[in-house]
């Protein structure tokens, strides 16, 4: 007996289908067929992303933008509420206002990352068939990648974990999906740093691909002391979910993260014959840019421009700048010591090149982040502080 | 830096051996337990009385990119079916009207559960210390986002194609109007995210998912297809493929705490509370939706319940956890009594307040009544006669001005709402296990319908303070409340909820409701 014959289905069984059709009215009972017609679209018309995401958060109206009423049906032991305004210092006229500029809902997100995985696997097969590993400088391959790409993996993994409480506590649905995708990208990044070394191990079986070397560098090395402590503080000591996200995505990652990923690995890898690491980091940078746009929408477009609370929010963001920027600058200054361990390459490892790297990161950050909330930064002084770490 | 001999030899070998290779997900995942590091304040922000082990493994060993690839393949199948074959067959419209209404509730309420499970899984990810265990919970975070959007997509699809889109289009806004909503929030929202993290895991994974997703997500597909709905099985069976990961997460949660002798002190009490919390709502609501919300019946709910809740979960699944000290909940036997009559009790009340719904309800037809009596002997004498009386008084016809809620008032059948579960009950009419208990606390009265919820409240009344619809709406006229909470269609006057699904029947408007002059009253005031 075929599966179709096991149980009669109302759509395909003629007798059942006829009975159903007899009950269906000739004309629809309502003319409004647009799901979420009451949602304010960001653009001209509602996107599928907005329809699927907006107002999935069932918060009451005393959390701005909520459509429900009344109290929570079950609370934490002691009576703390399920979700509440007290979980962040920032205020919003509507916690449902944010829109991800990339309009990502789940199928859109996993399709893109799944494609990245297929492309990466095809790249690895080509890279290995080409014997491209032969061109990589042995010191870069055996010293720098295990230590510092490994350490970057820990930084990314710590940032990933900083998102867990945010995903529990944040008060909006579009916020929650943006933060979730940012978190998933971070754990992906840490896994990709491992993948690079495991891939080298597969091509070169004597190569140690365990994370131990990077972990030792991250937990004991002087180059990462401030970075590690900053990540630990964001992860486990900061309870305000907006502060965590602001510290991670508006300060630490666009500064320290960009310095290490873009200016160190992406810029220097070609100088050491490494075409593998830049390929992987390019994917990481794609995620960074997508996240950057989403975070700008949250903290600049929505919260800094909030019609009722924008000024208040900006003051808090400045407070957080004062708290997290010095830690991040210290982390960048300490990272400068890594440059001294590199085999010299003209145009890449000389002081002028490194200063240009630092300037690019700092300038980008000032333009894209600090200026947006009118936070004053002395670029020269900041660069000088970071460059002071250069041994 | 000196190059090792092994490295040198391997490098030389490359000149000869350039076999294409790549890296599989498992080859990265095997290092995952080493991704963590110890530091002074490495502790969760959501304390639990349980001790979760540092070396707990996960069963589904995925990395981020492989997860994405796998889910994307599933999405292609699902959306391909929906957007191609089913659309060309006009399958979104060729659904039994009662069932199309049922899916307004099922899909939207499940969406709420999935949405809250994002936060619940994130809390567990925060609480766990083992990277693999964190990774398992992370996978669930992503799955729950997927399921939230999938459930939304079912409503979205029916909005476009079903012959009554109202309610599908705006469930997220109008669902707060009726008395079923708060109870749904207890089991599917707050019960997952507010409490000890492991207690929440027990609610979500060990009970909600391991026990009730079979009847909810699998059984519903059988009822759906019988009633012409192939949209729901296409989506829900795809959801169910992820649920295995979540059940495994629940299992691993127990494994991670089982090494701690102190766990035995709390685990079975928390499991019992979680089971009662979940079953108190799901047992009557699912049974009601299936049996009263369908044209073609699959099997009596009590049989489904016995197979999946009592035998499969209470026996086999919990039995597997017996080696960790887990016992079947003491409340299981009381729940079994509810599985027979509680959904019939609930439909009586749900129909009585039909104007507060975002779906159309229908009185049992002659065929329905025969089926109920055949499968639940005694049904007609208790329930069937009441429906006949309501029908005779014209409850389906707007010109009658009769809303069954009035019948309860006329006959002194007081309707209460259980403070802990938020499930309505009528002590003088119930055939299920409910019985009225009232307590006073801080100058406010609280009603309860069973001893298990009453015990939870007596232990921690501060966790269950939520006002119910009767307290919220007390003194207000019904049509005012409906208008305020968006319970009308696009013409601004016709109600979304209706007491029939017939083609010929007239639709009720706000004016019809106003004429009935129903004013909410709090029975505890």
């Amino acid at each position: 007996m075929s599966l179709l014959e096991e149980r009669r289905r109302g759509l395909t069984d003629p007798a059942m289908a006829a009975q159903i059709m007899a009950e269906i009215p000739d004309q629809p009972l309502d003319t409004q067929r647009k799901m979420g017609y009451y949602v304010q679209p960001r653009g001209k018309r509602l996107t599928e992303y907005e329809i699927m995401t907006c107002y999935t958060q069932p918060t009451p109206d005393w959390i701005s933008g909520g459509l429900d009423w009344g109290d929570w049906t079950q609370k934490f032991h002691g009576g703390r509420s399920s979700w509440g305004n007290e979980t962040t210092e920032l205020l919003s006229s509507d916690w449902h206002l944010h829109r991800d500029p990339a309009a990502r809902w789940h199928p859109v997100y996993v399709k893109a990352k799944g494609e990245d995985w297929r492309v990466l696997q095809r790249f690895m097969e080509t890279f290995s068939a080409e014997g491209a590993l032969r061109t990589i400088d042995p010191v870069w391959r055996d010293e720098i990648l295990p230590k510092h790409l490994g350490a970057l993996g820990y930084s990314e993994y710590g940032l990933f974990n900083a998102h867990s409480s945010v995903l529990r506590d944040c008060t909006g649905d579009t916020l929650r999906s943006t933060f979730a995708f940012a978190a998933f990208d971070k754990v992906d990044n840490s896994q990709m740093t491992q993948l690079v070394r495991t891939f080298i191990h597969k091509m070169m079986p004597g190569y140690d691909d365990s994370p131990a070397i990077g972990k030792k560098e991250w937990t004991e090395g002087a180059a990462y002391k401030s970075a590690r402590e900053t990540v630990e503080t964001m992860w486990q000591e900061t309870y305000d979910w907006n502060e965590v996200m602001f510290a991670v995505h508006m300060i630490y990652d666009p500064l320290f993260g960009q310095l290490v990923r873009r200016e160190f690995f992406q810029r220097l890898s070609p100088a050491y014959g490494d075409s593998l690491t830049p390929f992987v980091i390019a994917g990481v940078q794609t995620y960074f840019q997508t996240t950057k746009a989403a975070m700008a929408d949250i903290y600049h477009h929505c919260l800094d421009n909030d019609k009722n609370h924008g000024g208040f929010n900006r003051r808090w963001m400045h407070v957080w700048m004062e708290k997290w920027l010095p830690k991040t600058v210290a982390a960048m200054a300490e990272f400068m010591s890594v440059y001294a361990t590199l085999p010299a390459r003209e145009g890449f490892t000389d002081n002028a090149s490194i200063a240009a790297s630092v300037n690019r990161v700092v300038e980008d950050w000032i333009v894209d982040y600090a200026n947006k909330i009118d936070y004053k930064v002395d670029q020269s002084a900041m660069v000088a502080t970071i460059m002071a770490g250069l041994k | 830096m000196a190059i090792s001999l092994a490295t040198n030899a391997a490098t030389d070998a490359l000149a000869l051996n350039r076999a294409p290779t790549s890296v599989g997900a498992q080859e990265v995942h095997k290092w995952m337990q080493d991704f963590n590091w110890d530091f002074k304040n490495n502790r969760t922000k959501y304390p639990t009385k349980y001790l979760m082990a540092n070396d707990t493994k996960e069963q589904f060993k995925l990395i981020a990119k492989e997860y994405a690839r796998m889910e994307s393949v599933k999405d292609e199948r699902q959306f391909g079916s929906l957007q191609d074959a089913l659309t060309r067959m006009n399958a979104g419209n060729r659904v039994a009207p009662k069932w199309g209404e049922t899916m307004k509730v099922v899909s939207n309420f499940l969406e709420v559960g999935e949405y809250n499970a994002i936060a619940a899984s994130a809390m567990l990810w925060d609480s766990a210390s083992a990277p693999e265990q964190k990774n398992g919970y992370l996978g669930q975070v992503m799955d729950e986002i997927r399921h939230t959007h999938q459930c939304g997509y079912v409503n979205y699809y029916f909005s476009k194609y079903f012959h009554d889109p109202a309610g599908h289009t705006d469930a997220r806004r109008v669902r707060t109007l009726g008395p079923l909503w708060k109870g749904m929030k207890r089991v599917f929202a707050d019960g997952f995210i507010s409490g000890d993290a492991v207690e929440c895991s027990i609610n979500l994974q060990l009970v909600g998912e391991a026990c009730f997703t079979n009847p909810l997500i699998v059984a519903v597909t059988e009822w759906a297809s019988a009633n012409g709905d192939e949209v729901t099985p296409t989506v829900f069976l795809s959801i169910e493929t992820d649920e295995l990961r979540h059940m495994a997460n629940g299992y691993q949660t127990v494994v991670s705490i089982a090494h701690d002798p102190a766990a035995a002190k709390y685990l079975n009490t928390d499991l019992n509370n979680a089971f009662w919390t979940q079953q108190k709502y799901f047992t009557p609501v699912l049974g009601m939706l299936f049996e009263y919300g369908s044209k073609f019946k699959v099997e009596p709910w009590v049989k489904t319940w016995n197979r999946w809740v009592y035998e499969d979960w209470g026996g086999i699944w919990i039995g597997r956890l017996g080696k960790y000290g887990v016992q079947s909940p003491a409340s299981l036997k009381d729940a079994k009594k509810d599985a027979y009559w509680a959904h019939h009790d609930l439909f009586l009340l749900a129909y009585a307040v039909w104007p507060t719904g975002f779906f159309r309800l229908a009185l049992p037809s002659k065929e329905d009544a025969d089926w109920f009596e055949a499968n639940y002997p005694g049904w007609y004498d208790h329930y069937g006669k009441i429906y006949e009386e309501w029908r005779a008084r014209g409850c389906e016809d707007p010109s009658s001005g009769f809303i069954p809620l009035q019948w309860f008032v006329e006959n002194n059948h007081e309707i209460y709402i259980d403070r802990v579960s938020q499930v309505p009950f009528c002590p003088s009419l119930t055939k299920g296990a409910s019985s009225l208990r009232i307590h006073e606390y801080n100058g406010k009265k609280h009603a309860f319908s069973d001893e298990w919820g009453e015990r939870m409240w007596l232990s921690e009344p501060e966790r269950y303070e939520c006002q119910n619809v009767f307290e919220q709406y007390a003194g207000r006229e019904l049509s005012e409340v409906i208008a305020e909470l968006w319970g009308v269609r696009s013409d601004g006057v016709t109600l979304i909820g209706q007491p029939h699904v017939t083609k010929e029947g007239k639709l009720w408007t706000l004016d019809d409701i106003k004429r009935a002059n129903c004013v909410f009253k709090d029975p505890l005031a």
Side-chain angles (χ1 to χ4, degrees):
Chain A
M1 180 183 283
S2 76
L3 277 175
L4 274 177
E5 289 166 332
E6 284 176 3
R7 197 186 291 282
R8 294 161 66 209
R9 309 173 87 94
L11 187 66
T12 52
D13 181 273
M16 294 166 80
Q19 289 186 62
I20 291 171
M21 292 304 286
E23 293 184 359
I24 295 175
D26 301 332
Q27 297 296 322
L29 300 185
D30 206 321
T31 53
Q32 176 56 272
R33 285 198 175 275
K34 187 188 290 180
M35 179 168 152
Y37 56 85
Y38 49 88
V39 177
Q40 181 67 40
R42 176 62 67 84
K44 281 185 179 173
R45 61 183 66 180
L46 276 180
T47 62
E48 282 196 336
Y49 153 70
E50 288 171 314
I51 293 169
M52 294 309 144
T53 312
C54 290
Y55 298 116
T56 48
Q57 168 107 359
T59 42
D61 51 9
W62 48 268
I63 294 175
S64 297
L67 295 177
D68 199 358
W69 52 264
D71 206 349
W72 301 106
T73 56
Q74 178 180 308
K75 300 175 189 175
F76 283 93
H77 301 281
R80 182 159 66 89
S81 59
S82 296
W83 279 304
N85 293 311
E86 72 281 3
T87 54
T88 179
E89 294 290 356
L90 300 191
L91 299 172
S92 174
S93 301
D94 183 357
W95 286 113
H96 298 257
L97 200 61
H98 162 62
R99 298 290 185 271
D100 175 6
R104 293 172 298 171
W105 52 301
H106 192 277
V108 174
Y109 178 78
V110 295
K111 184 170 172 46
K113 196 177 282 293
E115 285 167 358
D116 292 346
W117 185 217
R118 292 187 182 98
V119 170
L120 180 56
Q121 285 178 317
R122 287 196 289 271
F123 167 80
M124 285 190 284
E125 290 190 356
T126 304
F127 184 94
S128 52
E130 297 270 318
L133 188 64
R134 290 172 296 187
T135 66
I136 302 184
D137 180 279
V139 174
W140 179 263
R141 182 191 66 203
D142 296 354
E143 177 86 0
I144 302 300
L145 293 183
K147 276 187 181 176
H148 302 296
L149 193 63
L152 174 64
Y154 281 91
S155 177
E156 297 286 329
Y157 188 71
L159 296 181
F160 151 68
N161 279 304
H163 290 72
S164 54
S165 63
V166 175
L167 287 175
R168 165 60 190 80
D169 290 343
C170 73
T171 49
D173 35 46
T174 47
L175 292 170
R176 185 163 272 102
S177 55
T178 286
F179 294 145
F181 296 149
F184 205 62
D185 286 345
K186 283 298 177 195
V187 80
D188 186 13
N189 295 349
S190 71
Q191 290 163 353
M192 290 303 101
T193 65
Q194 178 62 43
L195 176 137
V196 168
R197 287 171 291 112
T198 296
F199 182 45
I200 296 174
H201 166 81
K202 287 195 76 174
M203 293 180 290
M204 204 169 83
Y207 189 81
D208 182 1
D209 67 333
S210 90
I213 300 167
K215 185 174 189 171
K216 185 173 169 50
E217 194 65 26
W218 174 251
T219 54
E220 299 174 21
Y224 296 100
K225 182 173 182 296
S226 291
R228 176 174 50 76
E229 289 174 355
T230 304
V231 170
E232 290 169 358
T233 309
M234 290 187 286
W235 173 1
Q236 290 294 39
E237 291 185 39
T238 310
Y239 280 73
D240 182 315
W241 52 271
N242 268 313
E243 182 181 354
V244 175
M245 288 294 89
F246 192 82
V248 170
H249 292 292
M250 308 302 277
I251 303 174
Y252 178 88
D253 205 43
L255 284 167
F256 181 85
Q258 285 295 79
L259 176 68
V260 178
R261 291 190 306 258
R262 189 183 77 191
E263 297 297 334
F264 188 83
F265 285 108
Q266 195 82 321
R267 185 177 76 85
L268 298 185
S269 291
Y272 298 99
D274 177 5
S275 57
L276 167 61
T277 305
F279 189 90
V280 173
I281 296 289
V284 172
Q285 292 305 99
T286 303
Y287 304 147
F288 170 79
Q289 288 298 334
T290 308
T291 302
K292 177 185 174 185
M295 296 297 164
D297 187 82
I298 295 170
Y299 292 104
H300 298 157
H301 180 81
C302 297
L303 291 167
D304 187 53
N305 289 331
D306 188 281
K307 60 186 178 188
N308 297 311
H309 310 293
F312 177 86
N313 290 339
R314 179 173 288 197
R315 286 200 291 280
W316 266 106
M317 288 189 242
H318 283 206
V319 168
W320 291 337
M321 285 286 198
E322 297 293 331
K323 177 178 173 182
W324 295 99
L325 187 57
K327 296 176 193 290
T328 302
V329 169
M332 296 167 82
E334 287 168 13
F335 181 77
M336 287 291 110
S337 65
V338 176
Y339 284 92
T341 67
L342 295 170
R345 293 284 192 278
E346 189 61 32
F348 290 91
T349 58
D350 51 284
N351 282 11
S353 302
I354 297 168
S357 272
V358 173
N359 257 305
R360 276 193 294 272
V361 172
V362 171
E363 185 177 3
D364 285 357
W365 181 77
I366 289 172
V367 171
D368 295 342
Y369 295 85
N371 287 353
K372 301 284 185 188
I373 57 169
D374 202 25
Y375 183 76
K376 304 297 180 198
V377 177
D378 182 335
Q379 181 176 339
S380 302
M382 189 166 154
V383 169
T385 305
I386 295 166
M387 287 297 289
L390 199 62
K391 305 295 183 193
Chain B
M1 178 197 169
I3 307 298
S4 71
L5 288 176
T7 304
N8 256 340
T11 309
D12 291 343
L14 279 171
L16 303 172
N17 179 16
R18 286 183 278 113
T21 188
S22 66
V23 175
Q26 297 302 309
E27 292 170 295
V28 175
H29 184 279
K30 74 174 185 178
W31 295 111
M32 192 165 290
Q33 288 289 64
D34 295 318
F35 278 23
N36 230 356
W37 73 94
D38 291 327
F39 55 94
K40 187 179 155 199
N41 289 321
N42 189 3
R43 77 283 186 263
T44 178
K45 294 172 185 169
Y46 309 97
T48 168
K49 55 187 177 287
Y50 297 94
L51 189 61
M52 296 169 94
N54 288 328
D55 56 354
T56 306
K57 301 284 180 60
E58 62 172 330
Q59 294 181 29
F60 288 74
K61 298 177 184 300
L62 293 172
I63 63 170
K65 281 190 164 65
E66 177 62 10
Y67 169 89
R69 184 200 64 78
M70 186 183 74
E71 297 298 333
S72 181
V73 169
K74 289 195 249 179
D75 286 344
E76 284 168 12
R77 293 180 196 145
Q78 173 194 271
F79 288 116
S81 299
L82 290 169
Q83 292 167 354
D84 186 359
L86 292 177
T87 299
R88 282 190 282 118
M89 293 171 77
N90 193 23
N93 191 41
R94 296 171 58 186
V95 174
K98 266 204 282 190
W99 185 258
E101 298 299 320
T102 294
M103 284 312 300
K104 292 175 183 174
V105 189
V106 170
S107 201
N108 182 262
F109 280 15
L110 182 59
E111 175 193 285
V112 178
E114 304 290 359
Y115 181 81
N116 279 267
I118 303 170
S121 308
M123 179 163 68
L124 287 163
W125 151 24
D126 196 274
S127 300
S129 52
E132 276 203 28
Q133 196 176 10
K134 282 177 181 289
N135 198 54
Y137 294 140
L138 169 71
Q140 184 164 354
V141 166
M142 297 302 290
D143 288 343
E144 307 296 10
I145 297 174
R146 177 173 191 256
H147 301 171
T148 300
H149 292 154
Q150 285 174 293
C151 289
Y153 202 89
V154 170
N155 288 127
Y156 178 53
Y157 195 89
F158 281 130
S159 294
K160 284 196 208 173
Y161 301 112
F162 185 58
H163 47 265
D164 186 8
H168 281 299
T169 54
D170 46 10
R172 290 174 190 160
R173 187 169 71 163
V174 74
R175 64 194 175 191
T176 67
L177 172 58
L180 291 179
W181 168 247
K182 291 292 184 192
M184 201 288 310
K185 280 187 86 171
R186 168 85 201 296
V187 292
F188 254 10
D190 301 338
F192 290 169
I193 63 171
S194 301
D196 178 294
V198 172
E199 176 198 345
C200 288
S201 164
I202 293 169
N203 257 291
L204 169 63
Q205 294 157 338
L206 213 55
V207 183
E209 291 173 319
C211 180
F212 281 103
T213 56
N214 275 330
L216 176 55
I217 301 179
V218 181
V220 77
T221 63
E222 296 179 301
W223 286 84
S225 70
N227 285 278
D229 170 14
E230 295 295 335
V231 175
T232 299
T234 302
V235 176
F236 278 34
L237 291 176
S238 187
I239 290 176
E240 188 66 12
T241 61
D242 298 321
E243 294 294 333
L244 297 175
R245 176 178 15 258
H246 309 174
M247 295 178 205
N249 278 344
Y251 191 90
Q252 293 303 105
T253 305
V254 173
V255 170
S256 81
I257 61 171
H259 70 287
D260 177 16
K265 285 196 293 186
Y266 314 118
L267 186 55
N268 286 311
T269 301
D270 278 351
L271 176 64
N272 186 58
N273 286 344
F275 173 72
W276 189 258
T277 296
Q278 299 292 318
Q279 87 81 26
K280 178 73 182 175
Y281 188 81
F282 283 130
T283 296
V285 170
L286 288 179
M288 177 184 79
L289 291 169
F290 291 166
E291 292 187 351
Y292 289 89
S294 60
K295 176 177 179 61
F296 297 108
K297 316 297 183 205
V298 173
E299 68 172 357
W301 167 238
V302 65
K303 281 190 184 174
T304 312
W305 195 97
N306 273 334
R307 185 170 64 249
W308 271 331
V309 177
Y310 196 72
E311 294 169 8
D312 197 61
W313 183 81
I316 298 170
W317 178 255
I318 294 297
R320 281 183 191 148
L321 290 166
K323 60 189 170 189
Y324 301 114
V326 177
Q327 300 163 358
S328 281
S331 59
L332 192 58
K333 62 179 190 309
D334 288 342
K336 200 170 190 306
K337 293 177 200 162
D338 265 350
Y340 203 84
W341 290 117
H343 62 295
H344 301 294
D345 287 339
L346 187 63
F347 183 74
L348 205 60
L349 306 183
Y351 191 84
V353 294
W354 66 260
T356 62
F358 58 100
F359 39 82
R360 295 179 295 155
L361 289 175
L363 287 175
S365 65
K366 175 71 172 63
E367 293 76 21
D368 292 334
D370 291 345
W371 187 86
F372 282 128
E373 185 59 30
N375 288 288
Y376 301 93
W379 179 88
Y380 175 77
D381 283 343
H382 191 80
Y383 306 98
K385 286 180 177 173
I386 296 173
Y387 295 131
E388 281 184 351
E389 183 183 344
W390 291 356
R391 184 177 274 121
R393 290 182 62 175
C395 68
E396 295 165 312
D397 181 0
S399 64
S400 72
F402 172 65
I403 299 169
L405 184 59
Q406 296 163 316
W407 180 90
F408 281 81
V409 176
E410 292 164 7
N411 292 280
N412 293 318
H413 290 306
E414 206 71 86
I415 301 174
Y416 296 87
I417 293 183
D418 181 272
R419 179 70 70 201
V420 173
S421 69
Q422 291 283 331
V423 174
F425 66 107
C426 178
S428 56
L429 269 181
T430 183
K431 268 177 85 74
S434 297
S435 59
L436 177 64
R437 305 113 200 275
I438 295 177
H439 291 281
E440 194 161 338
Y441 178 70
N442 281 347
K444 187 175 177 182
K445 285 183 180 169
H446 307 267
F448 305 90
S449 59
D450 62 78
E451 67 167 326
W452 299 105
E454 184 185 21
R455 281 186 196 188
M456 286 184 234
W457 182 85
L458 286 169
S459 305
E460 300 177 291
E462 69 280 2
R463 296 185 77 186
Y464 312 105
E465 297 174 317
C466 184
Q467 64 271 52
N468 59 52
V469 288
F470 292 139
E471 292 164 327
Q472 178 75 10
Y473 304 153
R476 300 197 61 196
E477 191 271 320
L478 178 57
S479 71
E480 277 180 24
V481 173
I482 293 169
E484 183 177 303
L485 291 173
W486 306 292
V488 291
R489 292 163 184 265
S490 59
D491 64 6
V493 294
T494 307
L495 267 61
I496 297 173
Q498 295 290 335
H500 64 81
V501 295
T502 57
K503 282 200 285 194
E504 304 78 19
K506 289 182 179 168
L507 299 181
W508 290 60
T509 65
L510 285 175
D511 285 343
D512 299 322
I513 299 295
K514 202 175 186 77
R515 274 200 307 278
N517 193 29
C518 274
V519 177
F520 282 101
K521 173 177 159 288
D522 176 10
L524 295 176

